[in-house]
Amino acid sequence: MRAAANIRTGTTVTILTACLLTMILGYLDKSRCIGPPFGADGRSLIFDRIKDRDVCYSDIQLLWLGRGIDQHLFPYTGGITPDGVLTGSTVEYPVLSGLLMWLGGIGAHTDAAFLLHSALLLAPFGLLTAWMLGRLAGRAALLWAASPPLLLYAFHNWELPVVATSVGAIAVMASHRWSLRTRAVLAAVLLGIGFCLKLYPGLFVLPLALYVLTEGRDRNRLDVRGAAAVLGAAAATVVAINVPFALTHYDGWRASFTFQQLRTADLTSNSIWYWGLRPLMGVDLHGSDTYNHVVGIVSPLALCAGLALAVWLGWKHFERHGSYPWIGVSGAMLCAFLLLHKVHSPQYTLWLIPFLVLLRVPWSLVAAYLVADLTLGIGVFRWFDTLATRSDTGTTEFVVNLGVWGQAALLVVLFFVFVGAPLRRTERGDPLPTRPPAAVPAAVP
């Protein structure tokens, strides 16, 4: 027992140390883009010159200007113009991310200080995620703690808190301390908080509710009240967090959603729509009104179909095996989102990594995805640089296509693999909790 405890402690220390070192390297990577010297507005003068060439760009440094952060304005007190330009202190993210941005800007007078403050604010969430993944999946958590995505994207945007909420929901469900309903409601609250950070954890509420609904393993004994409690807890959390912003500055609050609705699948989107549909329509690099209109219709329809397919596959799994794989279905839904949404930002890979840790996915498939991500994550900024400097874009455009279509193909594979994938073993050698096989009745015809 003592030896096993020592091994678990050693594994945890290794994972947390690796995570901390990776994030330090990630910060040093992004800090290559900061000054001095600085302009009168606090912008590093080297930023625009080297951000794409040296692949040290971050949304954090970019948004020091244009969102009221440099003026220390409380978020969402502005609005949006008819052509989609945010005004005042409105930001394009849900309210809790806006609060994090504002907190990171307190006391900062340059983009360098804002990047540092934001990194210090975000890093604990990266460590918390590493700790939880270590508890859930043991050494496999090194995939989060010591992989290229964390180095490249830890401080690219405000992703670490939202990843922590989705992993936290899974960790709560893995606990034996409370009843299933209590754990599920707490997990739903965490997913609701995640929705108020970056929206995507909201996708996982439905699979969680279906897991609670079917936990009796018998369609004649469905826990409807438990499933309703999950849905209600998530919805109540989202409403409680958003209402104060909507009541005090409705235009600014609503503008963050309007911005995402108006956003097009342009050359910054890294999406299959830009690199697949646009060339088929014979449209140049800047798109067209017709192309944007088609994407605005096809993308959400395809996404809804993909999400519905994931939920249906999970239900078929329940009918065959007696358990609803809510974690696998959640991962599949995320794959559908990453593949079919009109925008696929490089840092979204951080959203996916926990599912690669928790679900028993072949390591060859994991390695292939990391290679594709690295190809796109570096290639797209080099492509931007060749466009800006009017250099030959042939090679960099080929690399971006390789990354986009490599990721797209792997997301399709992962979509189906996730649903039926067993969970990796925890550090105690036990799978994440499910009902004992003996409790599974015969399938109902």
Side-chain angles (χ1 to χ4, degrees), residues 19 40 51 128 179 236 244 347 357 359 369 385-386 400 435 443-444:
C19 183
K51 59 182 174 63
L128 177 60
S179 68
Q347 72 273 11
V357 172
L359 296 166
Y369 194 88
D385 182 64
T386 58
V400 173
R435 288 178 67 91
V444 179

Side-chain angles (χ1 to χ4, degrees), residues 67-303:
R67 302 295 185 270
I69 296 170
D70 59 316
Q71 304 169 53
H72 308 109
L73 300 177
F74 194 77
Y76 307 103
T77 58
I80 190 170
T81 65
D83 55 351
V85 177
L86 294 171
T87 61
S89 64
T90 298
V91 300
E92 54 267 54
Y93 307 120
V95 294
L96 293 184
S97 285
L99 280 180
L100 287 172
M101 295 168 71
W102 173 69
L103 289 172
I106 293 176
H109 301 286
T110 65
D111 59 358
F114 180 50
L115 178 64
L116 175 60
H117 294 181
S118 297
L120 293 173
L121 191 64
L122 296 173
F125 293 100
L127 291 170
L128 177 60
T129 299
W131 178 78
M132 290 187 292
L133 289 174
R135 296 287 295 176
L136 292 167
R139 288 176 294 179
L142 286 170
L143 178 61
W144 166 266
S147 63
L150 188 64
L151 188 151
L152 290 174
Y153 312 129
F155 308 121
H156 186 96
N157 198 288
W158 292 266
E159 309 300 335
L160 297 183
V162 68
V163 176
T165 62
S166 61
V167 175
I170 295 172
V172 167
M173 289 299 294
S175 172
H176 293 284
R177 295 181 180 178
W178 307 288
S179 68
L180 173 64
R181 279 193 190 180
T182 300
R183 284 181 280 134
V185 167
L186 291 173
V189 169
L190 285 172
L191 294 176
I193 293 172
F195 180 88
C196 297
L197 284 161
K198 282 297 179 74
L199 299 185
Y200 84 88
L203 296 174
F204 308 156
V205 175
L206 179 58
L208 176 60
L210 290 173
Y211 174 73
V212 175
L213 179 73
T214 59
E215 180 59 6
R217 307 300 182 87
D218 183 341
R219 284 178 294 179
N220 294 322
R221 293 188 288 117
L222 298 178
D223 186 3
V224 176
R225 295 178 67 179
V230 168
L231 298 174
T237 301
V238 172
V239 170
I241 292 173
N242 279 272
V243 160
F245 292 89
L247 292 179
T248 54
H249 298 288
Y250 177 80
D251 289 340
W253 172 80
R254 182 68 181 88
S256 64
F257 297 97
T258 303
F259 178 91
Q260 298 299 338
Q261 292 169 352
L262 295 177
R263 187 174 180 182
T264 59
D266 60 15
L267 78 172
T268 67
S269 67
N270 308 306
S271 69
I272 61 171
W273 308 111
Y274 183 81
W275 291 102
L277 180 62
R278 177 189 56 81
L280 287 177
M281 294 181 64
V283 179
D284 65 19
L285 292 177
H286 301 288
S288 69
D289 290 341
T290 301
Y291 157 73
N292 291 327
H293 179 71
V294 171
V295 172
I297 295 175
V298 175
S299 174
L301 289 177
L303 177 55

Side-chain angles (χ1 to χ4, degrees), residues 6-22:
N6 289 337
I7 291 173
R8 290 195 296 270
T9 300
T11 299
T12 299
V13 170
T14 300
I15 292 169
L16 292 177
T17 301
C19 183
L20 180 61
L21 291 175
T22 302

